[in-house]
Amino acid sequence: MGAPRVAVLDYGSGNVRSAVRALERVGADVTLTRDPKLVSEAEGLVVPGVGAFAAVMKALKDVGAVHQIGRRVAGGRPVLGICVGHQVFFEEGVEHGVRTEGIGEWPGTVERLDAPVVPHMGWNTIDAPEDSVLFDGLHDERFYFVHSYGVQKWEFEVLQPRMKPPKVTWSTHGAPFIAGVENGPLSAVQFHPEKSGDAGAQLLQNWLGTL
Amino acid sequence: MSVAIRVIPCLDVDAGRVVKGVNFEGLRDAGDPVELAKRYNAAGADELTFLDVTASSSDRETTFDVVGQTAEEVFIPLTVGGGVRTADDVDRLLRSGADKASINTAAVNRPEVISEITDRFGSQVLVLSLDARRTDDPQVESGYEVTTHGGRTGTGIDAVAWAAEAAGRGVGEILLNSIDADGTKAGFDLEMIRAVRAAVDVPLIASGGAGGPAHFPPAIEAGADAVLAASIFHFGPVDMIAQVKQAIREAGFPVR
């Protein structure tokens, strides 16, 4: 078995070099690309993202990535969102009173954090479910967050009894917010695993283990 | 459960080499920023800051190389300051592998550059580096004045008002360096930290005056979210970061 092939989505979002290097460090064969063929064929797709929700959504749409991501998720093929690449999987983002539609895999609104000091910047603890795959062995670790917005309410309804509810990991800055979601092939984290030292490396390795 | 107080060593880099030297045992090359960055990472630093003091622009290319090599090997956030004047300068640093850029004189000279940068890359990439000193000038209401050129030039601008303005214009963080305390090893300027804390709600990094682990908790009590220092880490014992964190923890604040 060779190294897992991972595509890091290249759509003009900030510093993606760290994400590429961090994945390589834990043994992935990484391509930085927006080529639809490579994006769909990779064993795992990473969606990075920094900056404004609206700008990231627009950039994702402009390169046809929303469609690509949707097809991967529908086909059960792993996708990992990071930071704003985590936020866009919720229903909508509200920045400065302006609402932007998200990809909408999960219900919820990305809104300004309710805390005395914003941005939330630095190493924070997480509260992950016992059976979390991403956070396996990492329940007592801190991860590096940089964000001013987040999802502070989880409103997922289990519509069918056989449906497995997503695993939700929380953190707190002022108020609790969602730090990670594991939902079948689709996972996303609000912090930056690529900047979270050894703990972040282990989380990426845990994710590679699911590919 | 809350975000940890960040402890940040700062390295002065000139043409790709660490200046002022760093006194660690067993270093192969005490002037290599990449090797030092790895050391500080292993010692528990929460972030790293490079201050590029390179004078000539031709030597600046070396800085980008050093930033790139560091980002390849160290997986904690890296801020780079010195010589940042435009959004394109920030772009260049981010592409090289920096996570944040800090801006100082250029923002004092032309405050609009703050939003030019943050509109393009987001607030989280920009740190306002604010060198302030006490002044008797009655025009400066807070009693703290903004300086430029490493504290040598007074501007007559009120440092507290400037911090608030810069936060309003979009900086994601403020690095507050006390020119009076810098190099004294007598402790941080706590009154100045309190004054700026009261005026802004972005994270505040305190700098200047640290002489030992006991100096750090009062800065945090005064309102700092992070602490930055240079010589105490460079010339102190190898476990100084751990000692500082221990002091902060014992004072009741969270550390990583």
Side-chain angles (χ1 to χ4, degrees), chain A residues 21 123 125 142 144 195 197, chain B residues 1 4 46-47 72 75 99:
Chain A
R21 261 302 285 144
W123 299 80
T125 51
R142 286 179 182 265
Y144 192 84
K195 284 289 155 190
Chain B
M1 237 179 40
D46 295 310
E47 288 187 28
E72 298 270 307
F75 298 90
D99 298 290

Side-chain angles (χ1 to χ4, degrees), chain B residues 176-192:
Chain B
L176 179 64
N177 182 42
S178 165
I179 294 300
D180 303 309
D182 200 18
T184 63
K185 298 190 182 298
F188 292 87
D189 187 335
L190 303 177
E191 286 174 27
M192 189 166 85

